C-alpha cells in the first residue's frame, strides 16, 4: 500500500486566496471592468477591513462576481493571467506546509494538491 498526502492549495499551502489574487490581476490587466470592484465588492471589503462586516460576506460577494465575470473570457487570457499570479505570488507558501510536502516526497509518498 502506498501512502499519499493531500494538500489544499488555498489557505493551506498558499498563504492568501488565489481567487482574490486572480481577480485583482483580471482587473489590473483590464480583462474585467474595474467598476465591478467599486460597484459590487469594495463596500463589503471595506466593512470587513474595518471589522464592521465579516470575511465571509466579502468572500461570498467576490466569489459571486468572480464566477459571473469569468464567462466569455478566452482560454488564452485566463492562462496568461493565471501564469502571472503564479509567477508573482507562487512562492508565498507556508513554511510548515512546504516542509511537510518535502518530507512526504523524501519518504516516497505521493503528493497531491487540491483546490
Amino acid at each position: 500500500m502506498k501512502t499519499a498526502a493531500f494538500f489544499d492549495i488555498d489557505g493551506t499551502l498558499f498563504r492568501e486566496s488565489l481567487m482574490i489574487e486572480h481577480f485583482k490581476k483580471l482587473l489590473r490587466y483590464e480583462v474585467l471592468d474595474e467598476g465591478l470592484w467599486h460597484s459590487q465588492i469594495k463596500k463589503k471589503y471595506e466593512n470587513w477591513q474595518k471589522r464592521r462586516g465579516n470575511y465571509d460576506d466579502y468572500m461570498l460577494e467576490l466569489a459571486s462576481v468572480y464566477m459571473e465575470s469569468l464567462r466569455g473570457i478566452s482560454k488564452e487570457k485566463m492562462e496568461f493571467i493565471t501564469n502571472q499570479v503564479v509567477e508573482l505570488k507562487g512562492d508565498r507558501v507556508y513554511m510548515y506546509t512546504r516542509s511537510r510536502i518535502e518530507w512526504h516526497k523524501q519518504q516516497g509518498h505521493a503528493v497531491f494538491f487540491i483546490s
Side-chain angles (χ1 to χ4, degrees):
M1 178 184 293
K2 186 162 177 139
T3 301
F6 294 85
F7 293 88
D8 173 43
I9 293 173
D10 238 6
T12 302
L13 176 62
F14 185 70
R15 291 186 346 217
E16 299 171 28
S17 168
L18 289 170
M19 179 181 64
I20 292 172
E21 295 302 322
H22 194 253
F23 186 78
K24 287 178 182 178
K25 288 287 180 245
L26 289 167
L27 296 175
R28 177 155 300 150
Y29 284 100
E30 298 179 349
V31 174
L32 299 179
D33 180 1
E34 197 171 305
L36 289 170
W37 170 260
H38 293 289
S39 67
Q40 297 183 41
I41 303 167
K42 184 179 179 182
K43 185 69 174 168
K44 292 201 185 216
Y45 171 77
E46 288 173 344
N47 284 341
W48 168 62
Q49 285 290 308
K50 295 174 184 174
R51 303 304 186 250
R52 293 187 180 121
N54 66 53
Y55 184 73
D56 288 341
D57 289 341
Y58 160 56
M59 287 302 291
L60 287 171
E61 186 68 28
L62 177 67
S64 175
V65 172
Y66 177 77
M67 293 301 293
E68 184 64 33
S69 299
L70 294 180
R71 292 186 182 151
I73 296 176
S74 72
K75 179 182 175 186
E76 292 78 20
K77 282 184 183 177
M78 289 296 287
E79 287 178 353
F80 173 78
I81 299 297
T82 301
N83 289 337
Q84 292 298 308
V85 170
V86 170
E87 184 176 318
L88 296 170
K89 308 282 183 159
D91 62 347
R92 294 184 181 184
V93 177
Y94 285 110
M95 289 173 45
Y96 177 76
T97 306
R98 183 182 290 138
S99 72
R100 296 313 300 162
I101 292 168
E102 190 57 38
W103 182 85
H104 281 289
K105 287 180 177 180
Q106 289 172 357
Q107 302 303 310
H109 302 158
V111 177
F112 298 96
F113 303 98
I114 56 176
S115 60

